[in-house]
Amino acid sequence: MLTYTERAKLCSNPTARRLLNLIDEKKTNLAIAVDVTTSKQLLEIAASLGSKICVLKTHIDIIEDFSPELTQALSELAKKYNFLLFEDRKFADIGNTVKLQYGEGIYRIADWSHIINAHTVPGFSIIEGLRQVGLDKDRGLLLLAEMSTAGNLAQGEYTTQSLELAKKYSDFVIGFITTRKLMDDPAFIYFTPGVNLSQNADSLGQRYVTPQTVIYENESDIIIVGRGIYEAPNPLEKAEEYQQAGWDAYQQRLQKNVSR
Ligand code: 5BU
């Protein structure tokens, strides 16, 4: 098995390369999902946990006091602590509409978010629309090949066809939202949400597994943790715990493949 840094060399997309390199530099495959509703909370978490994470995932449309200063400040923190921003917008419309949603409007997602994601329901045109905006800005796209929720429909042929789309647009598609590794090509990066060390589920269909299951058993690359960290009494301590668990699982996986 290749290390993150070795895989970086195989990526044509600059965001993918940067991400894989910084994971090894910072020894963290932890992405935090910060689903809070004020700018103040979001910036406080970004500043206090920035050194522990490789990616900070936002839902920018849940911020009740949004202003462009927020994304400016987030970008500065991302630079200072060397993490990437991922707006979990889950684009799902026709090419022309997603182009506008990505590049225009209040949020101007393309101007600050290094990584975005999209459903593949519309087919190739959604990727082409986003790519027209994001490629020149060196952005990267994740496809939702699978989801974490109970009873979700992203499986079987849907997942298989999503992989085909990724291969076709591999200059812009850097990987997937998924529960597990899906392909042998080491240039694609797998992000897994639904990670929690102390719960199996929430009350609305979310399903949780541990960092060990995600990174070691399912051979994914990045754990996405939300409430497990930011709702803890001491989020910094919790972030360190998840960082360590994710990193230990990765080290074990490197060993597993050596001894095979
Ligand atoms: P949690 O608090 O760790 O359950 O948050 C999980 C985050 O990941 C949350 O922001 C979701 O929107 C996001 N997510 C997910 O949970 N499952 C999915 O399949 C996808 C995104 Br796609």
Side-chain angles (χ1 to χ4, degrees):
M1 187 196 133
L2 301 177
T3 63
Y4 293 109
T5 309
E6 287 164 342
R7 288 168 57 190
K9 299 187 182 80
L10 308 172
C11 299
S12 59
N13 181 289
T15 291
R17 280 202 299 274
R18 216 183 126 194
L19 175 58
L20 290 167
N21 281 323
L22 82 84
I23 290 175
D24 264 342
E25 276 162 32
K26 292 177 72 176
K27 293 190 172 19
T28 180
N29 50 25
L30 170 64
I32 180 156
V34 196
D35 295 339
V36 297
T37 54
T38 67
S39 302
K40 184 166 178 282
Q41 287 170 298
L42 178 52
L43 291 173
E44 273 172 11
I45 293 172
S48 63
L49 305 186
S51 63
K52 313 291 172 197
I53 59 175
C54 59
V55 168
L56 185 140
K57 188 175 84 59
T58 53
H59 281 298
I60 207 67
D61 58 355
I62 65 175
I63 300 294
E64 56 202 28
D65 59 342
F66 176 83
S67 71
E69 286 74 46
L70 170 62
T71 44
Q72 180 61 36
L74 272 180
S75 301
E76 281 159 22
L77 288 168
K79 215 178 216 174
K80 179 171 176 190
Y81 293 106
N82 194 23
F83 60 80
L84 299 187
L85 295 168
F86 166 19
E87 165 55 20
D88 189 359
R89 173 63 180 75
K90 299 186 185 72
F91 294 100
D93 215 316
I94 63 167
N96 188 59
T97 302
V98 296
K99 248 177 92 169
L100 296 168
Q101 290 170 326
Y102 184 24
E104 311 297 327
I106 301 173
Y107 301 118
R108 306 251 159 199
I109 296 167
D111 287 349
W112 54 272
S113 187
H114 305 99
I115 301 167
I116 48 154
N117 56 357
H119 289 286
T120 47
V121 174
F124 70 89
S125 54
I126 188 168
I127 304 177
E128 291 200 347
L130 295 168
R131 187 173 171 277
Q132 280 184 14
V133 177
L135 193 67
D136 285 348
K137 295 178 185 280
D138 288 346
R139 304 308 191 200
L141 171 67
L142 303 174
L143 299 181
L144 282 101
E146 292 184 332
M147 291 191 71
S148 62
T149 40
N152 79 78
L153 309 181
Q155 48 176 290
E157 192 55 23
Y158 181 84
T159 303
T160 309
Q161 288 301 321
S162 301
L163 304 188
E164 291 307 313
L165 284 171
K167 286 186 213 160
K168 197 166 162 217
Y169 296 95
S170 61
D171 56 349
F172 187 52
V173 177
I174 64 169
F176 304 92
I177 299 287
T178 168
T179 64
R180 62 202 161 103
K181 178 180 167 188
L182 295 167
M183 268 195 280
D184 280 333
D185 185 342
F188 287 114
I189 309 170
Y190 303 105
F191 285 63
T192 300
V195 178
N196 198 300
L197 282 164
S198 54
Q199 283 178 34
N200 297 323
D202 73 2
S203 60
L204 287 170
Q206 176 70 299
R207 294 179 299 187
Y208 288 120
V209 289
T210 64
Q212 176 76 9
T213 302
V214 172
I215 303 291
Y216 182 77
E217 287 169 37
N218 296 349
E219 306 195 336
S220 185
D221 296 315
I222 293 173
I223 51 170
I224 301 177
V225 184
R227 285 164 286 180
I229 293 176
Y230 69 78
E231 283 187 350
N234 186 335
L236 180 59
E237 229 168 58
K238 266 291 166 213
E240 284 168 351
E241 200 181 312
Y242 278 94
Q243 178 188 1
Q244 194 62 49
W247 200 251
D248 287 349
Y250 164 61
Q251 296 296 327
Q252 277 183 44
R253 191 167 133 211
L254 287 174
Q255 289 306 316
K256 168 169 89 169
N257 289 20
V258 165
S259 56
R260 256 183 195 166

